[in-house]
Amino acid sequence: MHDPADLDTDLSLRDVVAALESLYPLESAADWDRVGLVAGDLDQPVRRILFALDPTLAVIDDARGWGADLLVTHHPLLLRGVHSVATSSAKGASVTALVRAGVALWVGHTNADVADPGVSTVLADALGLRDQRPLSVEGDQAPGRVGELSSPVSLAEFADVVATALPATAGGIRVSGDPDAMVSTVAVMGGSGDDRFDDVRASGADVFVTADLRHHPVLEAREEARGGPPYLVDAGHWATESLWLQSGRERLLSALGEAPGATRVETRVSTIRTEPWTFVVGANAARDDRVAPETGGVS
């Protein structure tokens, strides 16, 4: 009598890609995006899958060292055109390392952003938002989320909630608004979101949590708000998106559980932090309550 384990067969990359693309369809990605299978042979076996936010050289080394057959990342490796994959460039070295090690690469970027659950859903869940709805609807896409806190809190208290819920980062949490203002309706957009201020205003949100907020869009948004809501929270690109990796891993395992015949497959999320910032100097130095008062004369 055969041990049932002897009947298990390896998954092929084709099987795993089909499962990933059932969860995060390529056609839902933005036109400018570059998602899907970047490297790999669809017939190669897949026994180990590593998840990471960015396909950096360190992450690829992690995949190779662990013996991964597939690396799944949120951010693309080849978003913009390249004309050489020589190892003299970081992109070339990355592609070469993947190919030499037989590590396939699959990218779920804006198609993972607009999925439900997707990047923003996971962020909204982490902040405890109830009665969630899309921040906007664009055809079949619904980027961002809006939801309600269980009870109103001050903006300062809410910033602490964000800091506790998300991975710690070098830059911390940046907030624009009155610390004592009360907030209850929250809009979120994992990753860069300062092109969504019109949607946030239309949603009626008291506060918007996103990342990569730039000076001019933020200044204009705060001017439009006349000091009131929506207040803004910049929680960092890496922090607002990295929570999705565990969700993506769990959803893929669930989808693969439906695949016939399979499946000795191991998965994990890389512990390598791909946040590019390492330290901050002088944070809060310009706060009103920390500025020295006028001397009142010349000394």
Side-chain angles (χ1 to χ4, degrees):
M1 185 173 182
H2 293 289
D3 185 326
D6 294 337
L7 301 178
D8 287 350
T9 57
D10 288 324
L11 288 168
S12 70
L13 180 58
R14 188 185 310 276
D15 297 325
V16 182
V17 166
L20 284 165
E21 294 179 3
S22 71
L23 300 170
Y24 309 107
L26 303 188
E27 58 269 21
S28 67
D31 292 341
W32 52 263
D33 206 2
R34 297 295 179 265
V35 298
L37 190 63
V38 178
D41 179 345
L42 286 171
D43 293 322
Q44 73 184 72
V46 174
R47 303 178 186 90
R48 286 184 168 180
I49 305 171
L50 183 69
F51 285 77
L53 198 67
D54 300 278
T56 63
L57 288 166
V59 166
I60 292 169
D61 282 344
D62 187 17
R64 294 166 63 192
W66 185 52
D69 305 293
L70 171 61
L71 174 60
V72 175
T73 67
H74 180 50
H75 291 141
L77 174 63
L78 303 174
L79 183 58
R80 296 175 179 83
V82 298
H83 305 288
S84 169
V85 291
T87 58
S88 53
S89 73
K91 295 291 186 186
S94 298
V95 172
T96 300
L98 288 167
V99 173
R100 280 181 174 171
V103 179
L105 172 63
W106 188 90
V107 172
H109 191 210
T110 52
N111 49 326
D113 287 335
V114 300
D116 186 13
V119 172
S120 291
T121 316
V122 174
L123 176 57
D125 289 343
L127 299 180
L129 302 188
R130 306 182 303 179
D131 304 323
Q132 292 181 25
R133 58 193 184 275
L135 175 59
S136 65
V137 177
E138 303 166 2
D140 295 331
Q141 300 181 357
R145 303 293 284 176
V146 181
E148 307 296 325
L149 295 172
S150 58
S151 60
V153 296
S154 71
L155 181 59
E157 291 170 325
F158 177 69
D160 286 338
V161 169
V162 176
T164 300
L166 300 187
T169 65
I173 307 294
R174 296 191 300 169
V175 184
S176 180
D178 179 356
D180 296 323
M182 301 303 292
V183 299
S184 59
T185 302
V186 180
V188 302
M189 171 73 75
S192 304
D194 63 14
D195 60 343
R196 294 288 172 176
F197 290 150
D198 287 343
D199 294 331
V200 173
R201 283 188 283 266
S203 76
D206 301 311
V207 59
F208 179 37
V209 180
T210 187
D212 297 345
L213 294 181
R214 297 167 295 168
H215 176 88
H216 294 295
V218 168
L219 190 60
E220 290 173 5
R222 298 303 299 137
E223 288 282 282
E224 289 296 335
R226 305 298 198 275
Y231 308 110
L232 304 176
V233 176
D234 187 328
H237 200 118
W238 180 84
T240 58
E241 293 189 327
S242 60
L243 295 178
W244 169 78
L245 298 172
Q246 186 62 33
S247 170
R249 172 186 170 275
E250 292 170 357
R251 293 192 74 205
L252 176 60
L253 283 174
S254 179
L256 291 176
E258 304 298 322
T263 100
R264 292 172 295 201
V265 61
E266 296 179 67
T267 62
R268 72 173 178 87
V269 174
S270 177
T271 57
I272 293 176
R273 297 171 62 91
T274 55
E275 180 193 21
W277 306 110
T278 53
F279 65 93
V280 172
V281 175
N284 285 327
R287 271 175 42 178
D288 289 343
D289 60 354
R290 297 194 181 191
V291 175
E294 295 279 346
T295 61
V298 177
S299 59

